[in-house]
Amino acid sequence: MSKQPLSFQPEHNHARCIHDALKTARALCSERKQRLTPIRELVLQLIWQSHKPLGAYELLPALADAGFNSAPPTVYRALDFLQTQGLVHRIASLNAFIGCPHPGPSHQGCFLICRACSSTVELESAPVQNAIHSSAAHLGFSIEQETVEVVGLCPNCQNTAQREPE
């Protein structure tokens, strides 16, 4: 069995993820001549505090606590910027956002979402994308956008379910 992704490690410390995500975001925005404003940086930091997708309304209290305008349009503008820059992905089925672990190259998201604890992992999706594109081409379908979201149980929740008495 391969090594568990960080989000499936129960004792994982997110400080390293946050540090790396902010460092990468600053470098990418500088390279692209985009402004990573304090509110955008805070939203990205909040998104990376766990490996669980967060909705815009879940971010509002932390923005208010930090002294920012906590109106929904403010957080949606920040999320839109972060998504446009490839720093976060939107999980459509949850109407929530999660940090992108490899924001450099443009790519489509493919996610494993735990239905019990909400931990989410982004997969390296080239094989999945190739299969989707091949099937679509075979049917004469032109893909404009794709996101694959697979719901199940992470290893931690599977282990918990196995230990619970019936």
Side-chain angles (χ1 to χ4, degrees), residues 17-157:
C17 291
I18 294 168
H19 174 268
D20 291 349
L22 292 175
K23 182 179 175 183
T24 300
R26 290 178 190 125
L28 282 174
C29 287
S30 176
E31 178 183 308
R32 296 172 180 168
K33 300 191 181 344
Q34 298 293 316
R35 287 194 56 218
L36 186 63
T37 62
I39 195 164
R40 291 169 176 171
E41 191 168 313
L42 176 59
V43 168
L44 184 61
Q45 180 179 350
L46 293 169
I47 292 287
W48 274 98
Q49 283 184 347
S50 72
H51 290 281
K52 298 176 182 182
L54 293 175
Y57 283 85
E58 294 173 281
L59 300 170
L60 293 176
L63 293 180
D65 290 347
F68 290 103
N69 177 1
S70 63
T74 303
V75 75
Y76 278 114
R77 280 193 296 273
L79 287 166
D80 184 55
F81 172 84
L82 296 171
Q83 191 174 9
T84 299
Q85 297 305 312
L87 298 167
V88 300
H89 292 288
R90 182 172 178 269
I91 305 294
S93 64
L94 302 174
N95 194 25
F97 297 83
I98 191 154
C100 177
H102 39 81
S106 179
H107 61 280
Q108 299 300 316
C110 184
F111 304 95
L112 299 179
I113 305 166
C114 180
R115 68 172 166 78
C117 72
S118 299
S119 289
T120 301
V121 170
E122 181 178 352
L123 295 176
E124 294 292 330
S125 61
V128 174
Q129 284 182 301
N130 291 341
I132 290 170
H133 284 263
S134 176
S135 295
H138 178 73
L139 297 171
F141 186 81
S142 175
I143 296 174
E144 296 177 355
Q145 181 180 347
E146 70 182 79
T147 301
V148 178
E149 299 176 14
V150 180
V151 177
L153 287 174
C154 73
N156 299 321
C157 292

